[in-house]
Amino acid sequence: MFSKFFSLLACLALAISAWAQTPKYIFYFIGDGMGMGHVMTAQTYNRTVLCNDKPLTMMQFPVSSLAMTYSANKKITDSAAAGTALSTGSKTNNGMLGMLPDETPVYSIATELKKLGYGIAIGTSVEPDDATPGAFYTHVPSRSMYYEIGMDMAKSDYDMFVGSVLRGAKDDKGKDTGLVKALKSNGYTVVEGREAFEKNKNKDKIVLLNNDPRIMHFGYTIDSIKDNLHLPYITQACLDHLKRVSPDKFFMMIEGGNIDWAAHANDGGAVVKEILNFNEAIKIAYDFYLQHPDETLIVVTADHNTGGMQMGVEDGPDEVNLKNMDYQRVSIEMFEMYCKDLIDSGKTVKWDDMKSYLTKNLGLYGPIAVNKEQDEELREKFESTFVEHDSDDVETLYTTYNEFVETVFDTLDHINGIGWTTTSHAGDFVPVFAVGVGSEKFSNVNNNIDIPAKMRKIAGITK
């Protein structure tokens, strides 16, 4: 009799212990394109320029490790395959979302947690129908099927989505596809911008979009675009929403998508400022964790490395000059828009005027010295672009730049000591940082599919 009683007590104690180790609140941060070099450069800026004694918040977490990122069919993954791996725990081919290579649907941890009663929020600084956020709710053979991805969003029943624009809302001819109507029919309130959100944030299900028609993402931190959404704002918005509609348990995925855009463009200053912005978003979750340390899990990682960013370049400066990044006030994308407007205006553009712009907005020819060889190359590209109108365009994944724009930022990065291996993706390790309930499980070298698999175990979805 007593042995059975004590056995029952032991089983009950184990059950209570297992329950106690299940997090009620899970935060998943994905820095799109954020490789090891990107993080180290941002931390070096944080230490040497901002003079912060403490490292970036994510680097203060007790668990720091690595993850491999290859896809099912490529040694170097894209965001779709990596997003699928990080959300579902399954490898797939590049370009596919929420499906195995044979098109069998696979389901994300967000979908599984939703069925268990968790509140769910998905936020990103780029399009909410982009690869990484899409991997948490859609099942399509091609990441470019924006309408179908948007319809899966409408059917997901998640509590909140945040991003820049819905690409599936209009077809190739600019005609309304009915996607926004479908979202509303499924109970979502669709709003654009902060002001509209503040008026509607008491709604149960919300899609919050940016309201800047000029750009496909939130805009870079370095450009300081007034009133645009940014990662800390949307992280707090998602957290406040989930605390209201699902206070007992919730899951949030926040993607730093602009890190990837800046890295594709090889814009070192923009990358560093985007990672600092991403880190501020993580700090919001970490402050929440400090209030609920026995109930919260935070995991930070990346889908892949973009650009192969590093400190140190051939024939570069003896010392990396990250302080120069504070003289940069525009991103490469904003500078391209400025140059395009000049060309389209048909007005005569003088080199002295351009030099003044470069000094004011990038520090070149002012606090940042330009040597004779660099000056000659910049003048040559300026002449071919603005005088002879005979400049070749340089294409990256998201944007096209003229040769002068590329040369300006190549020069700036080289002077600063920032090097790149590509404008595409790289296949090396990405970082993994974790804190909270079950975080010790991420301490070894991970395959990207291990991360959601471990989350499932920690959350009690699988044994």
Side-chain angles (χ1 to χ4, degrees), residues 225-240:
I225 303 174
K226 186 179 179 181
D227 295 330
N228 268 20
L229 301 179
H230 55 71
L231 281 182
Y233 178 87
I234 71 167
T235 301
Q236 188 66 59
C238 286
L239 178 55
D240 290 345

Side-chain angles (χ1 to χ4, degrees), residues 127-246:
E127 303 92 340
D129 51 19
D130 203 29
T132 301
F136 283 83
Y137 60 84
T138 196
H139 313 279
V140 291
S142 172
R143 60 183 289 180
S144 62
M145 298 171 66
Y146 304 125
Y147 172 75
E148 290 80 4
I149 294 171
M151 292 302 290
D152 282 344
M153 179 192 297
K155 293 180 288 187
S156 70
D157 199 35
Y158 291 177
D159 299 277
M160 189 168 183
F161 289 97
V162 187
S164 55
V165 296
L166 287 171
R167 288 174 289 185
K170 294 182 179 180
D171 62 20
D172 293 339
K173 298 179 180 179
K175 185 178 179 181
D176 189 332
T177 62
L179 173 57
V180 173
K181 182 179 179 181
L183 284 162
K184 292 179 179 178
S185 295
N186 281 275
Y188 287 99
T189 299
V190 182
V191 296
E192 295 185 355
R194 297 191 192 194
E195 184 177 347
F197 171 66
E198 294 299 329
K199 292 178 180 178
N200 291 277
K201 62 182 181 181
N202 63 330
K203 306 294 184 182
D204 288 340
K205 293 164 63 178
I206 297 175
V207 177
L208 169 59
L209 304 173
N210 204 27
N211 60 353
D212 191 336
R214 299 169 297 170
I215 45 182
M216 295 299 289
H217 50 80
F218 282 178
Y220 293 113
T221 303
I222 207 165
D223 291 319
S224 302
I225 303 174
K226 186 179 179 181
D227 295 330
N228 268 20
L229 301 179
H230 55 71
L231 281 182
Y233 178 87
I234 71 167
T235 301
Q236 188 66 59
C238 286
L239 178 55
D240 290 345
H241 185 73
L242 290 174
K243 285 165 64 177
R244 183 174 63 82
V245 301
S246 184

Side-chain angles (χ1 to χ4, degrees), residues 240-291:
D240 290 345
H241 185 73
L242 290 174
K243 285 165 64 177
R244 183 174 63 82
V245 301
S246 184
D248 293 334
K249 51 186 178 179
F250 57 72
F251 170 92
M252 180 194 306
M253 192 288 291
I254 298 292
E255 181 202 21
N258 278 2
I259 300 170
D260 182 61
W261 280 64
H264 275 294
N266 289 178
D267 183 344
V271 167
V272 166
K273 299 301 173 70
E274 287 306 317
I275 292 178
L276 294 178
N277 188 255
F278 184 59
N279 190 67
E280 287 300 309
I282 294 169
K283 189 177 184 301
I284 291 169
Y286 186 62
D287 288 343
F288 180 89
Y289 157 79
L290 293 176
Q291 298 172 7

Side-chain angles (χ1 to χ4, degrees), residues 245-417:
V245 301
S246 184
D248 293 334
K249 51 186 178 179
F250 57 72
F251 170 92
M252 180 194 306
M253 192 288 291
I254 298 292
E255 181 202 21
N258 278 2
I259 300 170
D260 182 61
W261 280 64
H264 275 294
N266 289 178
D267 183 344
V271 167
V272 166
K273 299 301 173 70
E274 287 306 317
I275 292 178
L276 294 178
N277 188 255
F278 184 59
N279 190 67
E280 287 300 309
I282 294 169
K283 189 177 184 301
I284 291 169
Y286 186 62
D287 288 343
F288 180 89
Y289 157 79
L290 293 176
Q291 298 172 7
H292 308 273
D294 298 325
E295 302 171 310
T296 305
L297 170 66
I298 306 174
V299 178
V300 182
T301 190
D303 53 353
H304 51 69
N305 178 327
T306 297
M309 184 180 185
Q310 62 184 11
M311 289 184 288
V313 292
E314 188 72 19
D315 298 324
D318 294 333
E319 182 66 82
V320 176
N321 298 310
L322 300 186
K323 177 66 177 70
N324 287 345
M325 291 179 175
D326 285 350
Y327 301 122
Q328 181 181 343
R329 295 181 174 86
V330 295
S331 65
I332 188 173
E333 186 170 327
M334 195 63 73
F335 182 50
E336 165 64 25
M337 291 170 62
Y338 171 77
C339 290
K340 186 177 185 302
D341 287 344
L342 284 178
I343 294 169
D344 290 346
S345 71
K347 296 179 181 178
T348 300
V349 183
K350 297 180 180 180
W351 171 241
D352 285 344
D353 292 335
M354 181 58 72
K355 275 184 64 176
S356 295
Y357 179 95
L358 296 178
T359 301
K360 179 181 178 180
N361 294 285
L362 297 172
L364 294 171
Y365 294 102
I368 302 176
V370 176
N371 65 33
K372 182 179 178 181
E373 182 180 346
Q374 292 163 341
D375 175 63
E376 289 175 351
E377 184 177 17
L378 287 169
R379 285 173 179 264
E380 177 189 338
K381 297 300 182 183
F382 173 83
E383 290 289 326
S384 62
T385 301
F386 291 95
V387 180
E388 300 168 8
H389 300 288
D390 188 28
S391 172
D392 292 331
D393 286 336
V394 180
E395 292 187 17
T396 68
L397 181 63
Y398 297 115
T399 315
T400 299
Y401 306 106
N402 65 57
E403 282 186 308
F404 176 68
V405 170
E406 183 195 36
T407 302
V408 166
F409 275 79
D410 282 352
T411 302
L412 183 63
D413 275 339
H414 193 271
I415 293 172
N416 293 347

Side-chain angles (χ1 to χ4, degrees), residues 69 75-77 304-308 421-422 424-430:
T69 64
K75 298 179 180 67
I76 300 178
T77 190
H304 51 69
N305 178 327
T306 297
T421 63
T422 180
S424 188
H425 298 168
D428 47 349
F429 285 112
V430 295

